[in-house]
């Protein structure tokens, strides 16, 4: 069999060898060079077009679940002499990502440490930061009023 080399000719010449529009690129691992491979063309008999009356229309419904946004969550450790608070990010479908260690009050000013952490995260909005700090304040005040007992 003679080797076939691709030739580019004008449309008016006879087509002995028809190459695909985009040649299939095969990777030769031994020489690390791409090479072109000719794919066989489909015979005209293989291409059959169904008549319109044979086609059936089917209604397809696709349910698209909306992705929930990641949430910021305050976590607390309630103890007799201390209360710890930490900030986590909950990503629906993936889990929880801790954004801070636990800050313990009254050992340190946990509220101030949380505030500085939130300010360092530029992607947290000012409104979200105020909401989180108010929630932390409410829980710390509740802990102080109960004296550490649940």
């Amino acid at each position: 069999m003679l080797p076939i080399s691709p030739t580019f000719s004008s449309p008016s010449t006879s087509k002995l060898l028809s190459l695909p529009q985009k040649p299939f690129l095969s990777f030769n691992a031994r020489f690390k060079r791409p090479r072109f491979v000719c794919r066989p063309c489909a015979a005209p008999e293989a291409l059959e077009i169904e008549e319109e009356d044979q086609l059936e229309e089917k209604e397809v419904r696709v349910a698209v679940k909306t992705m929930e946004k990641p949430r910021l969550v305050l976590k607390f450790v309630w103890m007799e002499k201390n209360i710890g608070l930490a900030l986590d990010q909950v990503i629906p479908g993936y889990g929880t990502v801790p954004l801070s260690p636990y800050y313990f009050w009254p050992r340190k000013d946990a509220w101030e440490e949380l505030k500085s952490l939130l300010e360092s995260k530029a992607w947290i909005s000012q409104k979200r930061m105020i909401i989180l700090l108010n929630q932390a304040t409410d829980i710390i005040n509740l802990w102080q009023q109960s004296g550490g007992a649940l």
Side-chain angles (χ1 to χ4, degrees), residues 39-62:
R39 288 185 268 179
C41 298
E45 299 85 29
L47 301 174
E48 294 179 10
I49 299 173
E50 294 181 16
E51 294 182 24
E52 287 184 22
D53 58 0
Q54 292 178 351
L55 296 177
E56 295 179 16
E57 286 188 25
K58 293 182 180 178
E59 185 177 326
V60 178
R61 293 185 183 190
V62 178

Side-chain angles (χ1 to χ4, degrees), residues 17-122:
L17 173 68
S18 61
L19 292 176
Q21 293 283 335
K22 293 182 180 177
F24 176 72
L25 191 61
S26 172
F27 188 75
N28 189 338
R30 184 174 173 206
F31 297 106
K32 307 245 188 254
R33 279 187 265 158
R35 61 186 176 97
F36 290 101
V37 176
C38 293
R39 288 185 268 179
C41 298
E45 299 85 29
L47 301 174
E48 294 179 10
I49 299 173
E50 294 181 16
E51 294 182 24
E52 287 184 22
D53 58 0
Q54 292 178 351
L55 296 177
E56 295 179 16
E57 286 188 25
K58 293 182 180 178
E59 185 177 326
V60 178
R61 293 185 183 190
V62 178
V64 179
K65 186 178 179 182
T66 57
M67 287 294 296
E68 294 180 39
K69 290 183 179 180
R71 299 181 323 231
L72 294 175
V73 177
L74 282 174
K75 290 194 171 184
F76 297 91
V77 176
W78 191 286
M79 299 180 286
E80 274 187 45
K81 296 184 179 183
N82 297 308
I83 185 168
L85 54 121
L87 183 67
D88 286 358
Q89 184 178 25
V90 177
I91 302 172
Y94 294 100
T96 304
V97 178
L99 297 179
S100 75
Y102 276 92
Y103 301 119
F104 289 95
W105 193 88
R107 265 190 245 166
K108 292 184 178 178
D109 193 355
W111 190 90
E112 281 295 328
E113 290 182 1
L114 181 63
K115 181 182 176 198
S116 64
L117 173 86
L118 290 170
E119 288 172 344
S120 70
K121 309 281 185 199

Side-chain angles (χ1 to χ4, degrees), residues 7 10-11 32 40 44 59 76 86 97 115 129 132-134 143:
T7 58
S10 65
K32 307 245 188 254
E59 185 177 326
F76 297 91
V97 178
K115 181 182 176 198
M129 182 172 37
L132 290 168
L133 289 171
N134 285 341
W143 179 82

